[in-house]
Amino acid sequence: MTTPFPFTAVVGQDDLRLALLLNAVSPAVGGVLVRGEKGTAKSTAVRALSALLPEVAVVPGCRFSCDPAAPDPACPDGPHEPGPGTARPSRMVELPVGASEDRLVGALDIERALSEGVKAFEPGLLADAHRGILYVDEVNLLHDHLVDLLLDAAAMGASYVEREGVSVRHASKFLLVGTMNPEEGELRPQLLDRFGLTVEVAASREPDQRVEVVRRRLAYDDDPEGFATRWAGEETAVRQRIVAARELLGQVRLGDGALRQIAATCAAFEVDGMRADIVMARTATALAAWAGRTDVLAEDVRQAALLALPHRRRRNPFDAPGLDEDKLDDTLEQFAGDDEGDGGRDDDPEPDPDGPGGGGQPRPDSGPREGGGGDGAERPETGESGAPGAPGAGEQPAARAAEPFRTKVLSVPGIGEGAAGRRSRARTEHGRTTGARRPRGTLTKLHLAATVRAAAPHQRTRGRSGRGLVVRRDDLRQATREGREGNLVLFVVDASGSMAARQRMSAVKGAVLSLLLDAYQRRDKVGLVTFRGSAAEVALPPTSSVDAAAVRLESLPTGGRTPLSAGLLTAHEVLRVERLRDPARRPLLVVVTDGRATGGPDPVALAGRAARLFAAEGTASVVVDCESGMVRLGLAGRLAGELGGTAVTLDELRADSIAGLVRDVQGTQGTSRRAA
């Protein structure tokens, strides 16, 4: 067994270590989400925590870790007779991102069912993690069907399995710890809220601290056991402090004054629901116990807010997590005082009605920028003056995106086999069962009924005797299931002078931001190509980090000529490379333009030839027509015809628009007619 890196040997990362220790003191806090760049000791610290947790007493032979002092009356291995338990170390169970549903919740023991003819349940990871730690590395990449199962177990403290004739319920209370790199995408809000605390980690910029990190890591790699021995004293001291804090926890008093500060803080930061208040109360209590005190102080409430609120105050995935600490301090000071809550100290000034608790603060991105939104009418729509071919010719400052809206569902036609998501139909490892087939390669999901039907006619010729079914390899059937997949949504955005009118570009950015929100909710990868001046650039290579695309979009300047063909050819190359990397993920091309093409000889014909490359490959596409004004040339519609796709206006893109129905994006087999 590999010797883990000692918890106390982790350099820096004070918030991370504190959050993990508070959960060790009080598992009711609800777990920890660790966000940060790669290589910041996230996984190292989490794996080291399990060695510090006290041993747990379990019923001997129980696969579900029942407590001998209070065994689960519904335990599948029960009922358990009262008696002494067996002590074992606390477990840390790791849930791989690519785990199957059966591995997580358990399933019918197929071997016993076929060989002995009995129904027997084989426990999964949720049973193993009961009364321990369930750790998910890269939790933001976890498939939606596993997220749903985790949410159910975390909410009910139990796992329910209803499948293949098996009906089982068992206790599953665990400390949920997840790590993630925000660059690879965000978590679903429901799962995000289930984590009690969140911590942002980053590599130190102090040379001395970085040197110490390298020194300790090299020493550990050279001699893990010897390194752990050198830190054994510190590990023992922390373990004893955890035990003492657990014993003290029940004596900690959470007064009305502290409760009032907690409630006021949650209200000031406009967090949703009441879970934040409860988590803050539990965290503040655990902080007091960890410090060896029986009273919760204002400093405990402040630290609890910094750990429990940042991930709960986000309104959409593009809001950066975090708290305004000045606002936090003002709120705590305003509601400090006696337990009657007199509103603050005698020498405090009158509360500012626009300050903490006075209706909330405006969103950071609200309000006009660069002199307000009224300057849009004064800017010319055709800002293509300037030196021909110069990328910065006629460049206008970046316009602020309009408010996002709910968009129509755009999906790729046909049935794919890509990564699980929520956009297009696909054959997946989960979802509803649609049939059975002979396995191609390794059997991954047995269709039990179809397998039994295939084997049943041959039982006499195979000399069956007894209850067991005689099954050969040729009888096995793979279940075919249909669900939804995530796609690669590649945005090709026209940032040329013809789009430079600020009101128009604001609307365009709002539309793309709306589509990015939709992509986030549907678990897509996204990429961003922009074109202006004389060339196109890949502003964001395909990634799962939708908020990174939003950041690039926000700062996008406009101006210059319209090299539409360059934008399309760059997008074609991006899709070619991505097809080699991930051939199962189907692309959806979204071109945002008014359809104009300028610069170079015969730019319209060049754009048409580039568009026909996508049509020849059957790439699903949609053109968001940004043309405005009384006279419309219909160029975006002609481009959609060349692409073999569909054109929609900005108004038609809205889900509540009456200008059109929800539509599939058409590929080459679509109904769009080619332009003459």
Side-chain angles (χ1 to χ4, degrees), residues 16-17 22 67 80 84 119 190 192 195 348 395 444 477 506 510 535 549 553 622 651 654:
L16 169 58
R17 292 191 293 168
L22 292 178
D67 185 349
H80 299 300
K119 291 192 294 185
Q190 296 92 332
L192 188 65
F195 286 97
D348 280 349
E395 180 174 311
T444 57
R477 295 294 183 267
S506 177
L553 178 72
V622 61
D651 288 338
R654 294 178 178 271

Side-chain angles (χ1 to χ4, degrees), residues 13 36 71 133 161 222 229 281 378 426 430 443 470 552 581 622 658:
Q13 309 297 7
I133 301 173
V161 184
D222 289 342
T229 300
E378 300 175 6
H430 53 88
L443 178 70
V470 181
R552 304 293 173 87
R581 291 176 177 170
V622 61
I658 61 174

Side-chain angles (χ1 to χ4, degrees), residues 406-443:
R406 191 165 63 90
T407 66
K408 282 181 167 56
V409 179
L410 304 174
S411 60
V412 179
I415 300 180
E417 295 184 345
R422 294 182 170 186
R423 184 171 296 278
S424 306
R425 294 174 58 197
R427 286 182 286 270
T428 61
E429 290 296 319
H430 53 88
R432 63 187 182 91
T433 301
T434 58
R437 60 173 173 81
R438 292 181 182 273
R440 301 167 190 162
T442 304
L443 178 70

Side-chain angles (χ1 to χ4, degrees), residues 618-629:
T619 302
S621 60
V622 61
V623 177
V624 179
D625 184 357
C626 302
E627 193 173 25
S628 61

